Amino acid sequence: MEEDHLKAEDLQHKVIPIHMNANFFFERAVRSLDRFRYDKALKYFRKAVEYEPENPVNHCNMAGILSEMGDYEGSNAVLFDILEHVDASMTECYFYMANNFANMENFEEAERMLVKYLEEDPEGQFLEEAEEMMELFQSELERPPVKVNRIRSREGVMEHEQARALMEEGKFAQAAELLEQIVQEQPDFLAARNNLALAYYYMGLFRKAKATIAEVLELEEGNVHGLCNLAIFYQHEGDTISLNPLLRMLEVLVPFHREHVFKLATTMGILGKHEAAYRHFRRLLKDSELNGDPSLHHFTAVAAFNSGRFREAGQCWRKLQKLDPASDIPGFYLDQLERFDLTGKQGYELSYHYHLPFEEQLKRWEKDESGLCEEVKTNPMIRSSFFWALRYGDKATKLQVIRALGWIADEEVKETLETFLKEPDEPAELKNEALRVLAEMGLEDTSQAILEASAASSSSMVAETQLAYTYQGGDTLQAVVDQALLHMDETAGREQKKHLQNLWYQFLGKLYPDKPIIRHTEGWSAALEYLTSKQHGGSVTYQEVAQRYGISPSTVSRYAKRIDSVCSLKEEKDDMFCPFTENV
């Protein structure tokens, strides 16, 4: 008897107790699925739900089994219950329900569920599948798909594309406003930050542009778009000390993604590193998905030409002729290439813009104004180049642009010219021409008021700055202007001399209450003359100005860059090629 009791006791110690919980039934359900025993799997998943009714995953598993067994209505009932009573954030349930309705051939309801999924799901786990299903429903229902108000998982992406389109149309202020909103809502959206920096750059807000790029590089040190944009900004400022090491790094960079290769290629072109630009563009041409793009062949041709590879440039333009036979661009450049004296023109560089040179376009449009309007309607880059030229071109180009804008004469032209009238440093001749164009558009009174207010504001700023410095070494500061006026080129008119004085007081006003240390009056005076001449379309060099003042060209350059860094002058551009915007 005692022996039997011991055996029973030993047996009790050897029995392993079974803990019935959700995991226990989940594991058995999975084993049943592996054996394709859906009925048993469903039973075990239901038991798991009983043990953990708050766990939405168990419910989803049950809905999935019902769907596999062909009980689509039962599956949807579980999915509806999850969203209403268990976890409303399980937005993927809408996608599962769309599949169930599609299997029941209820495509109207399937489409409705899919739209709910796209509009409410933050992760976008099934985004590609959902888009494919929308195409299927369009075919089945024989009508266009229902409009999706927003794709939540792509929030900011659509707005970013809209901002990029605005920039390509030259609407930089509108693009900046949209991009600022995107960045505020999504601080890690680096593509939006990069394009915001470019929008600021095009608007002339160079300090804000640099600050925005600094934020990009703080978030991602090796961001290719950010580094390229920073290099362009350094070049604009003439900051060679910062530019050169960055340029050396970019020259040896070999990006993997094609978008980064393209950005780097265009940046190298802007910075005058045409050998590197050619190398990257050639690499892109080897990509079968890209080598049918006409603009890429033009960019490669320009990089080849600018690096002295004239034969390769001709080959690219001839290929372009076949790809885009309706375009005048390849024929124009091939004709120029035939006439070109290749022996003595090594320093001559072409613009990378994929359209005819600005001067050539104006010649053609002067003969056919309707052609201009049609070009502007169909090619937003043409309009963008107009606004870029009005902001950064030399005096002669700006005059041509103002007259050309008069042929277009739409609401955006009106806003652009009225903004131009507010610029304090633009010559009176150009402002009068802008007034004439606006008068022809029936806006003379408003524009004249803008011009007068701008002039009063400019005069007030100069007077206040002069007063501020009266008791702070004013004699020395005034001597800079006096010496510049004394040495100034005889061809300089009254308007140019007045501009020189305003530039100096603008420089002092932006520094106030600080003031520059004047140890080298001739250097500051020569720099003022050089910058003013450039602003008025002059072809003066550092060497020529330096000779008149008895100083070195490097001294003129140093002081000119100092003034420019404070005043953010609109430097003369040999071409109007803008840095390319960044995709997502």
Side-chain angles (χ1 to χ4, degrees):
M1 193 74 178
E2 187 178 342
E3 189 177 323
D4 290 342
H5 175 72
L6 287 172
K7 285 181 180 178
E9 202 174 61
D10 290 342
L11 186 62
Q12 186 179 3
H13 285 299
K14 290 180 180 178
V15 172
I16 301 171
I18 298 173
H19 297 288
M20 299 288 190
N21 58 22
N23 285 337
F24 171 82
F25 290 109
F26 175 82
E27 288 170 6
R28 273 158 177 71
V30 171
R31 278 187 225 155
S32 299
L33 279 176
D34 290 340
R35 298 187 183 101
F36 302 102
R37 294 295 307 273
Y38 294 119
D39 53 340
K40 276 196 168 186
L42 178 60
K43 183 178 75 171
Y44 288 131
F45 276 132
R46 278 188 171 138
K47 293 295 287 183
V49 166
E50 287 177 19
Y51 275 90
E52 283 186 2
E54 303 298 319
N55 187 342
V57 175
N58 293 327
H59 292 265
C60 272
N61 288 331
M62 191 166 70
I65 291 295
L66 288 168
S67 184
E68 285 289 334
M69 296 172 70
D71 186 1
Y72 304 117
E73 289 184 358
S75 177
N76 276 353
V78 174
L79 293 167
F80 272 118
D81 187 64
I82 292 170
L83 290 167
E84 285 193 17
H85 302 111
V86 183
D87 187 352
S89 69
M90 291 281 288
T91 47
E92 60 265 40
C93 290
Y94 292 115
F95 178 77
Y96 301 143
M97 284 191 278
N99 274 281
N100 286 333
F101 280 121
N103 284 320
M104 289 188 283
E105 297 190 0
N106 186 348
F107 297 110
E108 293 278 359
E109 199 61 25
E111 184 184 51
R112 192 172 74 84
M113 289 298 106
L114 210 53
V115 169
K116 288 277 284 181
Y117 170 73
L118 291 170
E119 291 184 343
E120 296 191 20
D121 185 72
E123 302 299 329
Q125 181 183 354
F126 303 109
L127 185 57
E128 289 184 16
E129 294 90 335
E131 289 174 341
E132 287 175 10
M133 285 176 70
M134 288 295 277
E135 290 179 13
L136 170 67
F137 297 159
Q138 182 179 352
S139 172
E140 291 289 344
L141 295 167
E142 297 182 348
R143 61 163 172 75
V146 171
K147 183 182 177 184
V148 180
N149 293 321
R150 63 164 187 170
I151 298 178
R152 189 176 173 191
S153 61
R154 284 185 177 167
E155 212 152 46
V157 175
M158 294 170 76
E159 291 84 352
H160 181 244
E161 286 301 310
Q162 185 184 346
R164 288 182 66 243
L166 287 169
M167 289 177 70
E168 288 171 3
E169 292 170 17
K171 299 174 181 177
F172 303 120
Q174 289 172 255
E177 187 177 347
L178 188 53
L179 289 164
E180 284 169 348
Q181 184 180 339
I182 294 169
V183 167
Q184 185 176 359
E185 293 172 358
Q186 300 183 68
D188 295 334
F189 199 158
L190 298 187
R193 282 188 187 273
N194 271 318
N195 283 328
L196 178 58
L198 286 179
Y200 286 149
Y201 175 75
Y202 298 144
M203 293 163 68
L205 304 173
F206 303 117
R207 291 181 185 176
K208 288 186 80 172
K210 275 186 69 177
T212 306
I213 288 299
E215 291 167 0
V216 171
L217 296 175
E218 188 176 336
L219 290 166
E220 186 181 299
E221 189 177 354
N223 186 277
V224 174
H225 281 268
L227 292 170
C228 288
N229 290 339
L230 185 60
I232 291 164
F233 298 164
Y234 283 149
Q235 187 197 49
H236 173 85
E237 293 176 334
D239 184 358
T240 54
I241 294 173
S242 300
L243 174 62
N244 289 338
L246 178 55
L247 199 51
R248 284 194 293 272
M249 185 189 77
L250 291 175
E251 281 187 285
V252 298
L253 194 62
V254 184
F256 175 75
H257 297 292
R258 64 173 67 147
E259 185 196 334
H260 290 163
V261 178
F262 187 72
K263 176 69 177 182
L264 190 58
T266 55
T267 301
M268 291 293 102
I270 294 168
L271 298 175
K273 297 295 180 180
H274 304 297
E275 288 277 353
Y278 178 72
R279 186 171 68 250
H280 292 303
F281 282 130
R282 286 288 300 169
R283 185 178 160 201
L284 288 169
L285 279 181
K286 293 176 183 177
D287 189 325
S288 59
E289 292 184 26
L290 298 177
N291 61 17
D293 181 357
S295 61
L296 182 56
H297 287 270
H298 175 68
F299 301 148
T300 311
V302 171
F305 181 94
N306 289 346
S307 56
R309 294 180 171 87
F310 305 115
R311 184 173 61 83
E312 289 86 346
Q315 289 172 348
C316 289
W317 277 315
R318 279 188 284 275
K319 176 71 173 176
L320 173 55
Q321 255 183 337
K322 294 177 183 177
L323 289 172
D324 194 0
S327 173
D328 294 335
I329 296 169
F332 172 82
Y333 283 106
L334 285 169
D335 183 56
Q336 294 295 307
L337 195 60
E338 285 181 14
R339 299 182 188 183
F340 201 64
D341 179 7
L342 301 181
T343 56
K345 299 282 188 178
Q346 294 297 321
Y348 184 80
E349 292 184 358
L350 298 176
S351 163
Y352 282 83
H353 262 316
Y354 183 47
H355 52 60
L356 295 173
F358 196 74
E359 296 77 10
E360 179 66 22
Q361 292 179 61
L362 285 174
K363 283 181 196 172
R364 298 186 182 198
W365 289 329
E366 282 172 0
K367 297 174 185 176
D368 178 18
E369 293 178 16
S370 63
L372 167 64
C373 295
E374 188 58 34
E375 283 272 9
V376 171
K377 286 177 186 174
T378 57
N379 189 346
M381 283 301 293
I382 300 291
R383 179 179 287 256
S384 176
S385 71
F386 268 55
F387 297 146
W388 181 263
L390 186 61
R391 185 178 290 275
Y392 298 108
D394 59 27
K395 184 179 177 182
T397 301
K398 287 182 180 182
L399 189 61
Q400 288 179 303
V401 169
I402 292 168
R403 288 169 181 166
L405 290 175
W407 302 331
I408 304 168
D410 61 15
E411 186 64 27
E412 191 176 11
V413 166
K414 166 186 166 284
E415 292 175 9
T416 300
L417 290 178
E418 287 185 340
T419 301
F420 180 79
L421 290 175
K422 297 174 186 176
E423 295 290 340
D425 296 331
E426 295 295 352
E429 180 187 347
L430 296 181
K431 289 189 175 183
N432 287 334
E433 186 63 20
L435 271 176
R436 183 191 66 75
V437 169
L438 287 165
E440 288 180 357
M441 294 171 65
L443 301 161
E444 185 173 13
D445 293 341
T446 305
S447 304
Q448 187 66 45
I450 290 170
L451 184 58
E452 287 170 3
S454 173
S457 172
S458 178
S459 300
S460 172
M461 182 196 76
V462 170
E464 286 175 13
T465 307
Q466 287 174 323
L467 183 64
Y469 281 99
T470 300
Y471 301 105
Q472 299 185 46
D475 291 342
T476 307
L477 296 171
Q478 184 60 40
V480 172
V481 172
D482 293 342
Q483 188 157 311
L485 295 175
L486 184 66
H487 285 83
M488 211 165 187
D489 192 299
E490 294 177 359
T491 59
R494 188 179 67 175
E495 184 67 34
Q496 191 165 330
K497 290 176 180 178
K498 183 181 176 184
H499 185 181
L500 183 144
Q501 294 178 72
N502 285 349
L503 174 58
W504 182 237
Y505 289 118
Q506 180 190 355
F507 172 67
L508 298 178
K510 288 194 174 185
L511 285 179
Y512 185 78
D514 297 328
K515 66 174 182 175
I517 299 171
I518 307 297
R519 294 199 185 99
H520 206 307
T521 308
E522 293 82 0
W524 290 106
S525 301
L528 282 173
E529 181 181 343
Y530 172 83
L531 291 170
T532 306
S533 176
K534 285 291 185 184
Q535 290 277 288
H536 284 259
S539 57
V540 67
T541 64
Y542 288 133
Q543 182 71 40
E544 291 168 359
V545 176
Q547 284 177 350
R548 279 203 291 279
Y549 288 84
I551 57 179
S552 69
S554 62
T555 301
V556 182
S557 172
R558 185 168 73 253
Y559 285 112
K561 286 170 184 172
R562 171 70 173 131
I563 295 171
D564 183 30
S565 69
V566 172
C567 297
S568 298
L569 298 177
K570 298 167 184 155
E571 297 174 345
E572 179 185 12
K573 304 288 180 184
D574 292 330
D575 59 58
M576 288 163 285
F577 178 58
C578 310
F580 284 74
T581 55
E582 180 180 353
N583 296 313
V584 179

